[in-house]
Every structure is written in structure tokens, then in C-alpha cells.
Amino acid sequence: MGQVNQPSTLIDQVGQLRKELAELRKRVGIGNATISGGVFTVQRDGAVRMVDAAGNEVLYFGPDGTGRQVIRIARDGGRPVLHTYPTLSGQQHWALSDRSGGFVVSDDTGSGDGLATPWIPVAFEKVRFADMPSVTNASFETVWEANFQRSHPCVELYTVDGCDDGTTGEGRVVITDPVTGRAVVAGSWGSGGGPVRARRGPYALPGRCYAGPVRVAVDYRRTGGGGKVYAVVMDATQRQTP
């Protein structure tokens, strides 16, 4: 009586071993894997998912319950950090969340342009000569001052200034390093007539980010004539390197 279900040749044996090895790999899963010079691709609505030791999802790239592709990144424990979310209009937006799950930064899906949160204040200032601060001193006086934590490499300002008839003046921006206390004149300009609106900067900010409050002062003085020098800083923005 012949043997049942036994490989009859060496080729059959190798084929059987390869099949059993493939099944074993499926059951065991991937331990360590390295991709060099290639692309790791997930197809047919597959997903990439990572969980922490307690089973909480901390990373997910793949379809949601409706089949739309989403990204979810969470802290250890599962609280969200960055997610893409569907809206009632059918659009998707991304959001950075705090530990309570509230949105800190998110994009605007209504227009598809810019941020939805946070809402950022817009400054308004007086531009009539009669309402502006004025200087008659021949030495520089600080008329405007800001103290803030540096978060960007540069700051940019817009000023409106001018002088009474027959009078001239000068303005300057002085930036003080929060660590060394060293004050540097970042820029200066002449003033006469007016009012004139002008962009000042961008000027490099000293030190490291969040090393302490940087002081930015806008000083004016009268350089000629007997009238007043008027000055307003309309707004200022921290920004990237131009």
C-alpha cells in the first residue's frame, strides 16, 4: 500500500517547505525590516497602524469608517495630537490638538485658504496728525515699545510718521537682546512732511527662541525746525527669514 500525502520528489519537498515557511511568516509577523532604495506601498485600502503597550492607537494612516483616507497621530495613551477630520460639507481639514482634545491650530475648509484657528488679532492705530504722539526733543525718545518672546527669526514693522511744515525728524528701531542686554540700532530713516506709511525691516531678532523677552523700541527725534515730529507704529509681525 502506497504512502498518502507524502512528497515523492525533492522538488515537491522544497515546494512544501516554502509553503510552510510562508504560512509561518504570516502567523509570526514582521520583527525587524529594512527598506533600502525602495518604496513601502500599502494598496487596496490597507492601513498602517501602531498601538502602545496598552493597546491604544498612537498612529494610523488609512481609510476611516466611510472609506476616506485619514491620518491620526496620538500621544501615548491615545489622546490626539494631529488628525485629519471630515466636515459636514464633505471637506477634510487637519488639526493640532492639546491634551484635552481641543483644536489649537487648524486649517480653513470653507475657503480652502489659510487658518481656521487660532483667530489672530488685527491692530488698528490712529493716523491723523492731531491724534498721533509727537516729539520735539533733539535727542531720541522711545515713542513705541514691544516686549515679546521670540518665536521667529525676524520682525517687520509698518510706521506712519511725518512732521509739521518746516520741520524734519529721524526715526529708528532699536532691538535689545534678552540675554546679553545689548541694544542694537536695526534701522533708521529720515522724516519730513507726511504722513508717510512705510515698511520697516524685516530685522533679525537676537538670541534663541523663547530665551526671554526681546525689546523692540521705535525712537524718534527732531533734527530741524521748530515744529513737531509725529509717529505711529501701525503693526508688527514676527516672520520667517526673507
Side-chain angles (χ1 to χ4, degrees), residues 70-139:
V70 298
I71 297 171
R72 295 195 295 263
I73 301 175
R75 296 172 176 83
D76 188 42
R79 292 186 178 274
V81 174
L82 187 151
H83 283 205
T84 53
Y85 295 87
T87 64
L88 295 177
S89 65
Q91 303 296 325
Q92 271 190 325
H93 75 102
W94 61 266
L96 290 171
S97 301
D98 58 23
R99 285 190 299 172
S100 69
F103 292 170
V104 178
V105 181
S106 60
D107 65 331
D108 187 83
T109 57
S111 66
D113 181 31
L115 294 176
T117 57
W119 292 8
I120 299 175
V122 176
F124 283 83
E125 295 292 348
K126 302 169 183 177
V127 295
R128 296 189 308 176
F129 262 23
D131 297 331
M132 290 183 183
S134 60
V135 171
T136 57
N137 200 324
S139 300

Side-chain angles (χ1 to χ4, degrees), residues 51 54 129 138 209:
V51 297
F129 262 23
C209 291

Side-chain angles (χ1 to χ4, degrees), residues 127-189:
V127 295
R128 296 189 308 176
F129 262 23
D131 297 331
M132 290 183 183
S134 60
V135 171
T136 57
N137 200 324
S139 300
F140 276 113
E141 294 182 24
T142 297
V143 184
W144 299 88
E145 177 182 322
N147 293 272
F148 55 90
Q149 292 285 343
R150 176 192 160 187
S151 58
H152 291 66
C154 298
V155 65
E156 181 177 277
L157 299 83
Y158 280 88
T159 63
V160 175
D161 53 39
C163 304
D164 286 332
D165 291 341
T167 301
T168 58
E170 184 181 7
R172 70 180 186 180
V173 172
V174 180
I175 301 178
T176 303
D177 189 301
V179 177
T180 66
R182 180 170 176 260
V184 174
V185 176
S188 62
W189 60 92

